Amino acid sequence: MQTDVARSRLRELILDGTYPPGARLTEMEAAAALEMSRTPVREALRALAADGLVRPSGRGVVVVALERSDLEEAYQVRAALEALTAELAATRQREGRIAPADLVDLRDVATETATATAEGRFAEAVRLNRRFHRLIAELAGNSMALHALERIWDQIQVSTLRSLAPPSRPAHVSGQHEELVAAIVLGQAEEAARVARAHVLDTRTITRSEEERA
């Protein structure tokens, strides 16, 4: 469907900073950029507004970023939801409901993320990190939690684009990923939830430090 294609492509352009917070975008400009008609673009912009990535402004929209207080709340909700999905994933693993190949994929992505970070391929590391956390949410088997996390991840990514930098403690971040994978593989639900929550809150602390230095 053309609207879905337009929404996906515009979302990617917002998340990668092509259209940063504060950027204005009209239906005509977006349609020209995507080489599409204005109707699907119009519907796509409405959907992105519902997702909280843009807000109507005049004849178009403006890309929005969360205020600091809203960003704090977003991280709190993300921490709770990622703790939940990690717990559910570990529980499903303990019950034998996760395919071994899916766990191999999770380990591989964690390794790829650590390698990309260590080698300074930060844009790739950000993408892989998102994939890592999404895989856990998928293993949880709760579509509502996954949908809520997707929206929060998008809002946080847009809101922190200007302060994104390689983590000041890459070994710590990678170590938490390893702990999280281990807890899920061993079916340790409470431990998986604890590590996931701590990881998100630590991420916020690091990001806040980068914001203050920016």
Side-chain angles (χ1 to χ4, degrees):
M1 187 176 177
Q2 284 284 77
T3 298
D4 293 335
V5 172
R7 179 182 182 181
S8 177
R9 291 174 63 186
L10 287 172
R11 174 178 168 273
E12 290 173 1
L13 292 171
I14 292 171
L15 293 180
D16 71 13
T18 300
Y19 298 125
R24 293 183 177 275
L25 187 62
T26 66
E27 288 178 17
M28 186 176 297
E29 291 168 340
L34 301 182
E35 298 182 338
M36 298 174 67
S37 66
R38 292 177 63 177
T39 299
V41 168
R42 182 183 307 118
E43 294 302 317
L45 291 176
R46 287 175 179 168
L48 292 173
D51 290 338
L53 293 181
V54 301
R55 62 174 172 78
S57 177
R59 297 181 179 179
V61 298
V62 173
V63 178
V64 298
L66 296 173
E67 297 293 335
R68 175 166 291 194
S69 60
D70 293 329
L71 189 57
E72 295 294 339
E73 292 180 0
Y75 269 100
Q76 290 169 3
V77 175
R78 177 188 165 190
L81 284 173
E82 291 205 27
L84 171 64
T85 53
E87 180 180 2
L88 290 174
T91 298
R92 294 183 75 229
Q93 163 63 6
R94 188 175 65 237
E95 296 171 347
R97 298 165 61 196
I98 293 180
D102 290 335
L103 296 177
V104 171
D105 286 344
L106 185 62
R107 285 188 183 279
D108 287 347
V109 174
T111 299
E112 291 172 16
T113 304
T115 300
T117 301
E119 294 179 354
R121 293 180 279 117
F122 189 54
E124 183 179 356
V126 169
R127 179 181 59 79
L128 288 168
N129 181 70
R130 174 85 177 250
R131 183 180 169 200
F132 172 77
H133 289 286
R134 181 186 169 85
L135 281 174
I136 293 174
E138 290 174 346
L139 293 177
N142 188 311
S143 60
M144 188 171 292
L146 175 58
H147 179 74
L149 275 169
E150 286 281 14
R151 176 169 176 158
I152 291 173
W153 284 330
D154 282 354
Q155 291 179 321
I156 287 176
Q157 186 168 332
V158 171
S159 302
T160 57
L161 275 174
R162 291 171 179 165
S163 60
L164 282 178
S168 56
R169 295 182 295 164
H172 177 70
V173 173
S174 297
Q176 286 181 324
H177 281 184
E178 292 173 3
E179 289 178 27
L180 187 50
V181 171
I184 291 172
V185 170
L186 294 173
Q188 299 173 339
E190 291 185 6
E191 176 66 4
R194 183 194 68 78
V195 175
R197 181 180 292 105
H199 177 60
V200 173
L201 296 179
D202 283 356
T203 299
R204 176 53 186 152
T205 298
I206 293 170
T207 305
R208 189 188 300 115
S209 297
E210 297 298 334
E211 289 171 350
E212 292 171 352
R213 285 201 294 267

